[in-house]
Coordinates of all heavy atoms in Angstrom, one line a residue:
M1 N 67.9 18.9 125.4 CA 67.5 20.2 125.7 C 67.7 21.2 124.4 O 66.9 21.9 124.1 CB 68.4 20.8 126.8 CG 68.1 22.2 127.2 SD 66.6 22.3 128.0 CE 66.6 24.0 128.5
A2 N 68.8 20.9 123.7 CA 69.1 21.7 122.5 C 68.1 21.4 121.4 O 67.6 22.3 120.7 CB 70.5 21.4 122.0
L3 N 67.7 20.1 121.3 CA 66.7 19.8 120.2 C 65.4 20.5 120.6 O 64.6 20.8 119.7 CB 66.5 18.3 120.2 CG 67.6 17.5 119.5 CD1 67.4 16.1 119.5 CD2 67.9 17.9 118.1
D4 N 65.0 20.5 121.9 CA 63.8 21.2 122.3 C 63.8 22.6 121.8 O 62.8 23.1 121.3 CB 63.7 21.1 123.9 CG 62.3 21.4 124.3 OD1 61.3 20.9 123.8 OD2 62.2 22.3 125.2
I5 N 64.9 23.3 122.1 CA 65.0 24.7 121.7 C 64.8 24.9 120.1 O 64.2 25.8 119.7 CB 66.2 25.4 122.3 CG1 66.2 25.4 123.7 CG2 66.4 26.8 121.7 CD1 67.5 25.8 124.4
I6 N 65.6 24.0 119.4 CA 65.5 24.1 118.0 C 64.1 23.9 117.5 O 63.6 24.6 116.6 CB 66.4 23.1 117.4 CG1 67.9 23.4 117.7 CG2 66.2 22.9 115.8 CD1 68.9 22.3 117.3
V7 N 63.4 22.9 118.0 CA 62.0 22.6 117.6 C 61.0 23.8 117.9 O 60.3 24.2 117.1 CB 61.5 21.3 118.2 CG1 60.0 21.2 118.0 CG2 62.2 20.2 117.6
K8 N 61.2 24.4 119.1 CA 60.4 25.5 119.5 C 60.6 26.6 118.6 O 59.6 27.3 118.1 CB 60.7 25.9 121.0 CG 60.1 25.0 122.0 CD 60.5 25.5 123.4 CE 60.0 24.5 124.4 NZ 60.3 24.9 125.8
V9 N 61.8 27.0 118.2 CA 62.1 28.1 117.3 C 61.6 27.7 115.9 O 60.9 28.6 115.3 CB 63.6 28.3 117.3 CG1 64.0 29.3 116.1 CG2 64.1 28.9 118.6
R10 N 61.7 26.5 115.4 CA 61.2 26.2 114.2 C 59.7 26.2 114.1 O 59.1 26.6 113.0 CB 61.7 24.8 113.7 CG 63.1 24.7 113.4 CD 63.5 23.4 112.9 NE 62.8 23.1 111.7 CZ 63.1 22.0 110.9 NH1 64.1 21.2 111.2 NH2 62.5 21.8 109.8
V11 N 59.0 25.8 115.1 CA 57.5 25.9 115.1 C 57.0 27.4 115.0 O 56.0 27.7 114.3 CB 57.0 25.2 116.4 CG1 55.5 25.6 116.6 CG2 57.1 23.8 116.3
V12 N 57.8 28.3 115.6 CA 57.4 29.7 115.6 C 57.9 30.4 114.3 O 57.2 31.2 113.6 CB 58.0 30.4 116.8 CG1 57.9 31.9 116.7 CG2 57.5 29.9 118.1
R13 N 59.1 30.1 113.8 CA 59.7 30.8 112.7 C 59.6 30.1 111.3 O 59.5 30.8 110.3 CB 61.2 31.1 112.9 CG 61.5 31.8 114.3 CD 61.4 33.2 114.0 NE 61.7 34.0 115.2 CZ 61.7 35.2 115.3 NH1 61.5 36.0 114.2 NH2 62.0 35.8 116.4
D14 N 59.6 28.8 111.3 CA 59.7 28.1 110.0 C 58.3 27.8 109.5 O 57.5 27.1 110.1 CB 60.5 26.8 110.1 CG 60.7 26.1 108.9 OD1 61.0 26.7 107.8 OD2 60.5 24.9 108.8
E15 N 58.0 28.3 108.3 CA 56.7 28.1 107.7 C 56.3 26.6 107.5 O 55.1 26.3 107.8 CB 56.5 28.9 106.4 CG 55.2 28.9 105.8 CD 54.1 29.6 106.7 OE1 54.4 30.5 107.4 OE2 52.9 29.0 106.6
T16 N 57.2 25.9 107.0 CA 56.9 24.5 106.7 C 56.7 23.7 108.0 O 55.6 22.9 108.1 CB 58.1 23.8 106.1 OG1 58.5 24.6 104.9 CG2 57.8 22.4 105.7
T17 N 57.4 23.9 109.0 CA 57.1 23.3 110.4 C 55.9 23.8 111.0 O 55.1 23.0 111.6 CB 58.4 23.6 111.3 OG1 59.6 23.2 110.6 CG2 58.3 22.8 112.6
R18 N 55.6 25.0 110.8 CA 54.4 25.6 111.3 C 53.1 24.9 110.7 O 52.2 24.6 111.4 CB 54.3 27.1 111.2 CG 53.2 27.7 111.9 CD 53.1 29.2 111.8 NE 54.5 29.8 111.9 CZ 55.0 30.7 111.0 NH1 54.2 31.3 110.1 NH2 56.2 31.3 111.2
R19 N 53.2 24.8 109.4 CA 52.1 24.2 108.6 C 51.9 22.6 109.1 O 50.8 22.2 109.3 CB 52.3 24.2 107.1 CG 51.8 25.5 106.6 CD 51.9 25.5 105.1 NE 53.2 25.9 104.7 CZ 54.0 25.3 103.7 NH1 53.5 24.4 103.0 NH2 55.2 25.7 103.5
Y20 N 53.1 22.0 109.3 CA 53.1 20.6 109.7 C 52.4 20.4 111.1 O 51.5 19.6 111.3 CB 54.5 20.0 109.8 CG 54.5 18.6 110.4 CD1 54.2 17.5 109.7 CD2 54.8 18.5 111.8 CE1 54.3 16.2 110.2 CE2 54.8 17.2 112.3 CZ 54.6 16.1 111.6 OH 54.6 14.9 112.2
A21 N 52.7 21.3 112.0 CA 52.2 21.3 113.4 C 50.6 21.6 113.3 O 49.9 21.0 114.0 CB 52.9 22.3 114.3
Q22 N 50.3 22.6 112.4 CA 48.8 22.8 112.3 C 48.1 21.7 111.7 O 47.0 21.4 112.2 CB 48.6 24.1 111.5 CG 49.1 25.4 112.1 CD 49.0 26.6 111.2 OE1 48.9 26.5 110.0 NE2 49.2 27.8 111.7
R23 N 48.7 21.0 110.7 CA 48.0 19.9 110.1 C 47.8 18.8 111.1 O 46.7 18.2 111.3 CB 48.8 19.4 108.9 CG 48.1 18.4 108.1 CD 48.9 18.0 106.8 NE 50.1 17.3 107.1 CZ 51.3 17.8 106.8 NH1 51.4 18.9 106.2 NH2 52.4 17.1 107.1
R24 N 48.9 18.5 111.9 CA 48.8 17.4 112.9 C 47.9 17.7 114.1 O 47.2 16.9 114.6 CB 50.2 17.1 113.5 CG 51.1 16.5 112.4 CD 50.5 15.2 111.9 NE 51.4 14.6 111.0 CZ 51.2 13.7 110.2 NH1 49.9 13.1 110.1 NH2 52.0 13.2 109.3
T25 N 47.8 19.1 114.4 CA 46.9 19.5 115.4 C 45.4 19.3 115.0 O 44.6 18.8 115.8 CB 47.1 21.0 115.8 OG1 48.4 21.1 116.2 CG2 46.2 21.4 117.0
G26 N 45.2 19.6 113.7 CA 43.9 19.3 113.1 C 43.5 17.9 113.1 O 42.3 17.5 113.1
E27 N 44.5 16.9 113.1 CA 44.2 15.5 113.1 C 44.0 15.0 114.5 O 43.8 13.8 114.7 CB 45.4 14.8 112.5 CG 45.6 15.1 111.0 CD 46.8 14.4 110.4 OE1 47.6 13.7 111.1 OE2 47.0 14.6 109.1
G28 N 44.2 15.9 115.5 CA 43.9 15.5 116.9 C 45.2 15.2 117.7 O 45.1 14.7 118.8
R29 N 46.3 15.4 117.1 CA 47.6 15.1 117.9 C 47.9 16.2 118.8 O 47.5 17.4 118.7 CB 48.8 15.1 116.9 CG 48.7 14.1 115.8 CD 49.5 12.9 116.1 NE 49.8 12.0 115.0 CZ 48.9 11.2 114.4 NH1 47.7 11.1 114.9 NH2 49.2 10.4 113.4
T30 N 48.5 15.9 120.0 CA 48.8 16.9 120.9 C 50.1 17.5 120.6 O 51.0 17.0 119.8 CB 49.0 16.2 122.4 OG1 50.1 15.3 122.4 CG2 47.7 15.5 122.8
Y31 N 50.3 18.7 121.2 CA 51.6 19.4 120.9 C 52.8 18.6 121.3 O 53.8 18.6 120.7 CB 51.6 20.8 121.6 CG 52.8 21.6 121.3 CD1 53.1 22.1 120.1 CD2 53.7 21.8 122.3 CE1 54.2 22.8 119.8 CE2 54.9 22.5 122.1 CZ 55.1 23.0 120.9 OH 56.3 23.7 120.6
R32 N 52.6 17.9 122.4 CA 53.7 17.1 123.0 C 54.1 16.0 121.9 O 55.3 15.8 121.7 CB 53.2 16.4 124.3 CG 54.3 15.7 125.0 CD 53.8 15.2 126.3 NE 54.8 14.4 127.0 CZ 54.6 13.8 128.1 NH1 53.5 13.8 128.7 NH2 55.6 13.1 128.7
K33 N 53.2 15.4 121.3 CA 53.5 14.3 120.4 C 54.1 15.0 119.1 O 55.0 14.4 118.5 CB 52.2 13.5 120.0 CG 51.7 12.7 121.1 CD 50.5 11.8 120.7 CE 50.1 11.0 121.9 NZ 48.9 10.1 121.4
I34 N 53.6 16.1 118.7 CA 54.1 16.8 117.5 C 55.5 17.1 117.7 O 56.4 16.9 116.9 CB 53.2 18.0 117.2 CG1 51.9 17.6 116.8 CG2 53.9 18.8 116.1 CD1 50.9 18.7 116.7
K35 N 55.8 17.6 118.9 CA 57.2 18.1 119.3 C 58.1 16.9 119.3 O 59.3 17.0 118.8 CB 57.2 18.7 120.7 CG 58.4 19.6 120.9 CD 58.2 20.5 122.1 CE 57.9 19.7 123.4 NZ 58.1 20.5 124.6
R36 N 57.6 15.7 119.8 CA 58.5 14.5 119.8 C 58.9 14.1 118.4 O 60.0 13.8 118.2 CB 57.7 13.4 120.5 CG 58.6 12.2 120.7 CD 57.8 11.1 121.5 NE 56.9 10.5 120.5 CZ 55.7 10.1 120.8 NH1 55.3 10.2 122.1 NH2 54.9 9.6 119.9
V37 N 57.9 14.1 117.5 CA 58.2 13.7 116.1 C 59.2 14.8 115.5 O 60.1 14.3 114.8 CB 56.9 13.7 115.3 CG1 57.2 13.5 113.8 CG2 56.0 12.5 115.8
L38 N 59.0 16.0 115.7 CA 59.9 17.1 115.2 C 61.3 16.9 115.7 O 62.3 17.1 115.0 CB 59.3 18.5 115.4 CG 58.1 18.8 114.6 CD1 57.5 20.1 115.1 CD2 58.4 18.8 113.1
K39 N 61.4 16.6 117.0 CA 62.7 16.3 117.6 C 63.5 15.1 116.9 O 64.7 15.3 116.6 CB 62.6 16.0 119.1 CG 62.4 17.2 119.9 CD 62.4 16.8 121.4 CE 62.1 17.9 122.3 NZ 62.0 17.5 123.7
R40 N 62.7 14.1 116.7 CA 63.3 13.0 115.9 C 63.8 13.4 114.5 O 64.9 13.0 114.1 CB 62.3 11.8 115.8 CG 62.1 11.1 117.1 CD 61.1 10.0 116.8 NE 60.7 9.3 118.1 CZ 59.6 8.5 118.2 NH1 58.9 8.2 117.0 NH2 59.3 8.0 119.3
Y41 N 62.9 14.1 113.9 CA 63.3 14.6 112.5 C 64.5 15.4 112.5 O 65.4 15.3 111.7 CB 62.1 15.4 111.9 CG 62.3 16.0 110.6 CD1 62.2 15.2 109.4 CD2 62.7 17.3 110.4 CE1 62.5 15.8 108.2 CE2 63.0 17.9 109.2 CZ 62.9 17.1 108.1 OH 63.1 17.7 106.8
T42 N 64.6 16.3 113.5 CA 65.7 17.2 113.6 C 67.0 16.5 114.0 O 68.1 16.7 113.4 CB 65.4 18.3 114.7 OG1 64.2 19.0 114.3 CG2 66.6 19.3 114.8
A43 N 66.9 15.5 114.9 CA 68.0 14.8 115.2 C 68.6 13.9 114.1 O 69.8 13.9 113.9 CB 67.7 13.7 116.4
R44 N 67.7 13.3 113.3 CA 68.2 12.6 112.1 C 68.9 13.6 111.1 O 69.9 13.2 110.5 CB 67.0 11.9 111.4 CG 66.5 10.7 112.1 CD 65.6 9.8 111.2 NE 64.4 10.5 110.9 CZ 63.2 10.6 111.6 NH1 63.1 9.8 112.6 NH2 62.3 11.2 111.1
A45 N 68.3 14.7 110.9 CA 68.9 15.6 110.0 C 70.3 16.1 110.4 O 71.2 16.2 109.6 CB 68.0 16.9 109.8
I46 N 70.4 16.4 111.7 CA 71.7 16.8 112.2 C 72.8 15.6 112.2 O 73.9 15.8 111.7 CB 71.6 17.2 113.7 CG1 70.9 18.5 113.8 CG2 73.0 17.4 114.4 CD1 70.5 19.0 115.2
F47 N 72.3 14.4 112.4 CA 73.2 13.2 112.3 C 73.6 13.1 110.9 O 74.8 12.8 110.7 CB 72.5 12.0 112.8 CG 73.3 10.7 112.8 CD1 74.2 10.6 113.8 CD2 73.1 9.7 111.8 CE1 75.1 9.5 113.8 CE2 73.9 8.7 111.8 CZ 74.9 8.5 112.8
R48 N 72.8 13.1 110.0 CA 73.2 13.0 108.5 C 74.2 14.1 108.2 O 75.1 13.8 107.4 CB 71.9 13.1 107.6 CG 71.1 11.8 107.6 CD 70.2 11.9 106.4 NE 69.2 13.0 106.5 CZ 68.1 13.0 107.1 NH1 67.6 11.8 107.6 NH2 67.3 14.0 107.1
E49 N 73.9 15.3 108.6 CA 74.9 16.4 108.3 C 76.2 16.1 108.9 O 77.3 16.4 108.3 CB 74.3 17.7 108.9 CG 75.0 19.0 108.3 CD 74.8 19.2 106.8 OE1 73.7 18.9 106.3 OE2 75.7 19.7 106.2
L50 N 76.3 15.7 110.1 CA 77.6 15.4 110.8 C 78.3 14.2 110.1 O 79.5 14.2 109.9 CB 77.3 15.0 112.2 CG 77.0 16.1 113.2 CD1 76.6 15.6 114.6 CD2 78.1 17.1 113.3
Q51 N 77.5 13.2 109.6 CA 78.2 12.2 108.8 C 78.8 12.6 107.6 O 79.9 12.2 107.2 CB 77.1 11.0 108.5 CG 76.8 10.2 109.6 CD 75.9 9.0 109.2 OE1 75.0 9.3 108.4 NE2 76.0 7.9 109.6
T52 N 78.2 13.6 106.9 CA 78.8 14.1 105.7 C 80.0 15.0 106.0 O 80.9 14.9 105.2 CB 77.8 14.9 104.8 OG1 76.7 15.4 105.6 CG2 77.3 14.2 103.6
L53 N 79.9 15.7 107.1 CA 81.1 16.5 107.4 C 82.3 15.7 107.8 O 83.4 16.1 107.5 CB 80.7 17.5 108.4 CG 79.7 18.7 108.2 CD1 79.3 19.4 109.4 CD2 80.4 19.6 107.1
L54 N 82.1 14.6 108.5 CA 83.2 13.8 109.0 C 83.7 12.7 108.1 O 84.6 12.1 108.3 CB 82.7 13.2 110.3 CG 82.4 14.1 111.4 CD1 81.9 13.4 112.7 CD2 83.6 15.0 111.8
A55 N 82.9 12.6 106.9 CA 83.3 11.6 106.0 C 84.5 12.0 105.1 O 84.9 13.0 104.9 CB 82.2 11.2 105.0

């Protein structure tokens, strides 16, 4: 749930994420698939950040 909210906000507010979503939409990807990829990317980034904080 939290990742879903983070991704939705990033698609609206973050220019890089918005450009990525537009590029993938142009390639024929659905918003659902784009959101799934962005959730994975966000989860990996959060995990890496937590690893550095706890190391």
